[in-house]
Amino acid sequence: MSRAASVPNQLSFLPFSGSRAVAAGLISRRMLTGPAWCRLLPDVYVHAAAFDPDDHRMWCDAVALKLPAGAAVCGLSAAYLWGVDLLPRRSPVHVVLPRTGRIRRHPRIAVTNSTLAVDDAVLLNAVPVTTEVRTAFDLGRTLPRSDAVAAVDALLHRRLLRTEALARYLDSHPRWPGGRQLRELVGLVEPLAESPMESRLRLLLHDAGLPRPVPQHKVADPQGRFIGRVDLAYPQWRIALEYEGDHHRGRATFRRDVHRYNALRAAGWLVLRFTADHVLRRSGQVVQDVRQAIDERRTQP
């Protein structure tokens, strides 16, 4: 039998309610038990060809079919649907339910019961999702501090919201759990941050009492010719701080980096390069290196 005859177009790609599909005459209950279909949740199936256990969007679509009225995808899952992927592998779908709302427990669903106003959620490709500002509000309150900065930075970087809008939302929701953390972070977040690790590096410097660096600073040579853009900079001392992610290991990127670093040095810039290991496990050394560089440059004529 051909694919077209065995798999209705309506069921080819997205998760669906098995009972509704049977009621609509699209498939039989017996067919759902066959190898052509994968059961994701109770009464929720997807065609085997569309199944990917690591596809968080698929799981969001599936969970949306089980949400009660007034509920929405939230937190890191909402950020993912808005285009900001900070999820660990095989993360459950984070959902917020009204305080009296209930949903059947499942390893793929992480539930928070909270107040959710009507205008705190929107439909995004048929999935109820917390708005951009509510998503930032929740992540900034509930995540560990460095993760919260990285998440809000990423939402701001994608121009999904402005810092002022988040501050106004926070002011209109006083005394919510985690509000004190978010209020501090509103003054620290940076729309120009281009990676979570860059955000963590900036927060590390702040917590050590070091001056706030300039993000994504454009450097020119003495003749005014553009050399390159550095992740973080102290222009007054010509110090550049670079986060080296895995993408810098490619041959072409490595060659461009060598040329850029040589040009920066020729223009009188000191470049400090850090990896995730430095930021996460050798933070004291990072602070020491940056402080020493600033002290040395301050004393130079």
Side-chain angles (χ1 to χ4, degrees):
M1 185 177 294
S2 69
R3 173 181 167 85
S6 59
V7 182
N9 289 334
Q10 302 95 314
L11 310 181
S12 296
F13 306 106
L14 298 176
F16 61 92
S17 165
S19 59
R20 293 176 188 172
V22 171
L26 298 174
I27 196 171
S28 70
R29 180 63 64 181
R30 181 176 181 180
M31 290 171 64
L32 282 175
T33 64
W37 309 100
C38 293
R39 184 176 181 271
L40 302 176
L41 303 169
D43 194 40
V44 178
Y45 300 82
V46 70
H47 187 244
F51 175 72
D52 178 354
D54 295 327
D55 183 356
H56 197 71
R57 171 74 212 204
M58 177 196 74
W59 287 105
C60 287
D61 288 333
V63 171
L65 295 170
K66 308 298 290 184
L67 290 180
V73 173
C74 70
L76 288 174
S77 295
Y80 178 87
L81 295 179
W82 286 116
V84 173
D85 184 4
L86 300 172
L87 288 163
R89 188 170 180 268
R90 299 291 177 95
S91 171
V93 176
H94 297 266
V95 299
V96 55
L97 273 62
R99 295 193 181 279
T100 58
R102 295 290 182 269
I103 191 172
R104 185 171 177 179
R105 290 182 178 272
H106 192 276
R108 282 287 188 170
I109 307 175
V111 177
T112 297
N113 289 93
S114 180
T115 301
L116 189 68
V118 173
D119 57 358
D120 277 343
V122 295
L123 279 179
L124 193 62
N125 296 321
V127 175
V129 182
T130 52
T131 61
E132 303 96 315
V133 69
R134 175 61 190 259
T135 300
F137 176 74
D138 288 341
L139 293 177
R141 293 183 302 113
T142 62
L143 290 179
R145 188 165 168 268
S146 60
D147 294 337
V149 169
V152 177
D153 274 1
L155 290 165
L156 292 169
H157 183 72
R158 287 187 60 86
R159 300 182 181 179
L160 294 169
L161 75 155
R162 297 175 64 88
T163 308
E164 297 81 3
L166 179 57
R168 287 194 300 270
Y169 191 94
L170 177 59
D171 288 341
S172 66
H173 293 75
R175 296 186 295 277
W176 278 54
R180 179 178 297 179
Q181 170 177 284
L182 180 56
R183 191 166 299 281
E184 179 214 3
L185 297 186
V186 165
L188 301 178
V189 293
E190 176 53 67
L192 293 178
E194 293 191 341
S195 73
M197 203 58 66
E198 184 182 318
S199 299
R200 291 183 172 90
L201 174 57
R202 195 183 71 253
L203 182 63
L204 173 62
L205 301 177
H206 167 81
D207 289 347
L210 292 168
R212 182 165 182 161
V214 177
Q216 307 306 320
H217 181 68
K218 294 179 180 179
V219 180
D221 66 14
Q223 289 73 43
R225 294 172 298 197
F226 177 73
I227 294 176
R229 184 163 54 90
V230 297
D231 293 336
L232 299 169
Y234 294 112
Q236 66 272 45
W237 301 303
R238 287 185 291 179
I239 299 173
L241 312 178
E242 292 276 83
Y243 168 67
E244 306 287 353
D246 288 340
H247 64 285
H248 286 270
R249 297 179 182 179
R251 180 176 297 180
T253 302
F254 176 76
R255 289 175 176 172
R256 287 194 299 270
D257 285 346
V258 169
H259 175 77
R260 187 165 63 97
Y261 294 142
N262 287 341
L264 286 167
R265 181 179 180 183
W269 280 73
L270 171 64
V271 181
L272 301 179
R273 303 165 67 183
F274 302 110
T275 65
D277 182 68
H278 288 104
V279 177
L280 298 177
R281 286 174 283 277
R282 291 192 279 169
S283 59
Q285 185 65 51
V286 172
V287 171
Q288 180 180 329
D289 290 347
V290 175
R291 180 171 283 123
Q292 181 178 344
I294 291 175
D295 291 342
E296 291 175 355
R297 288 288 170 125
R298 274 175 169 164
T299 60
Q300 291 181 358

